[in-house]
Amino acid sequence: MTAAKLDTPIKGVHHGAFRCRDAEQTRWFYEDVLGLTVEGAVMSETVPGTGDDDPYLHIFFRMANGEYIAFFDAPNSADPSWFKRKESFDMHFAFEVDSEAELDAMQKRINDMGVSALGPVEHGFVKSVYMYDPNGIQIELTVRSDDHDEIFARERAGLKEELARWTSHTRGQKVQKFGAESVDKRGRVR
Ligand SMILES: [Fe+2]
């Protein structure tokens, strides 16, 4: 079985961007610990588009496939509470490696650098180790299992029915919690 045919020109991630507490501390983690390369850096006194006065440094770290993870260091607008450890259901970021040997080697390297990398956890379609970056973001390193695509294809077969069941099962709770308007398809985040 092959992956689903796509109806979009979107081919991958250019960057995911997050706020960091300190650019140098973040560089240490992503460059020295994980081995990414810091490539792009933009410094500005004001926010593009709005012109708000919020000096910031925006840095980009390159992965082996040319995609990036990026950070904003903007102390004026930073709220210290944002940097608390975030629950994995709320936010986490997963990097992919090619083999279990690479996953094991990375886990050892990270632990040797004094960062606690836990796992591996076997998820069936992937196997992962987990750690936190200096900004409270849970970072996952993952390797696909040999039958990753088959597992996803099997799940895809019943996905629409499963989603419909889940939606009807949880809709009442969500309407009560978030309001009917918020869970409507055109619901807006306020
Ligand atoms: Fe994950």
Side-chain angles (χ1 to χ4, degrees), residues 107 117-121 128-130:
Q107 184 174 20
L118 302 176
V121 177
S128 305
V129 299
Y130 296 91

Side-chain angles (χ1 to χ4, degrees), residues 12 22 44 48 53 92 99 109 132 146-147 185 187:
D22 179 74
S44 176
D53 181 27
H92 72 271
S99 68
R109 167 186 169 150
Y132 277 92
D146 291 341
D147 52 354
K185 281 188 179 153

Side-chain angles (χ1 to χ4, degrees), residues 6-178:
L6 301 181
D7 183 24
T8 174
I10 295 172
K11 64 175 185 177
V13 175
H14 181 271
H15 66 274
F18 306 95
R19 188 186 277 277
C20 69
R21 186 191 279 115
D22 179 74
E24 170 52 25
Q25 181 189 48
T26 295
R27 187 212 58 76
W28 169 79
F29 178 79
Y30 287 94
E31 195 166 50
D32 296 352
V33 179
L34 294 189
L36 306 186
T37 314
V38 63
E39 271 196 358
V42 178
M43 200 183 293
S44 176
E45 293 299 314
T46 55
V47 179
T50 66
D52 289 350
D53 181 27
D54 187 14
Y56 67 88
L57 177 63
H58 192 23
I59 48 173
F60 291 75
F61 299 95
R62 189 180 190 276
M63 300 168 225
N65 71 348
E67 295 172 353
Y68 298 90
I69 184 169
F71 291 87
F72 289 98
D73 182 348
N76 277 7
S77 58
D79 176 347
S81 69
W82 195 84
F83 304 105
K84 289 183 179 155
R85 286 188 170 195
K86 286 164 268 295
E87 291 293 327
S88 64
F89 280 13
D90 290 334
M91 174 196 290
H92 72 271
F93 193 92
F95 293 109
E96 184 173 357
V97 296
D98 269 341
S99 68
E100 291 201 22
E102 287 177 348
L103 187 71
D104 292 346
M106 282 299 286
Q107 184 174 20
K108 182 176 184 318
R109 167 186 169 150
I110 293 159
N111 279 318
D112 286 350
M113 292 288 285
V115 177
S116 178
L118 302 176
V121 177
E122 178 60 69
H123 296 290
F125 65 107
V126 291
K127 186 175 176 182
S128 305
V129 299
Y130 296 91
M131 75 223 69
Y132 277 92
D133 90 341
N135 307 301
I137 300 167
Q138 189 183 70
I139 296 298
E140 174 178 357
L141 290 186
T142 197
V143 60
R144 296 181 195 220
S145 64
D146 291 341
D147 52 354
H148 173 280
D149 289 359
E150 285 76 10
I151 291 171
F152 268 22
R154 262 201 312 275
E155 289 175 356
R156 193 170 76 233
L159 188 65
K160 284 209 166 124
E161 293 75 19
E162 185 71 24
L163 188 56
R165 262 198 305 276
W166 176 259
T167 300
S168 71
H169 178 62
T170 60
R171 182 50 60 99
Q173 182 188 8
K174 289 167 187 168
V175 166
Q176 203 170 38
K177 193 161 193 175
F178 309 121

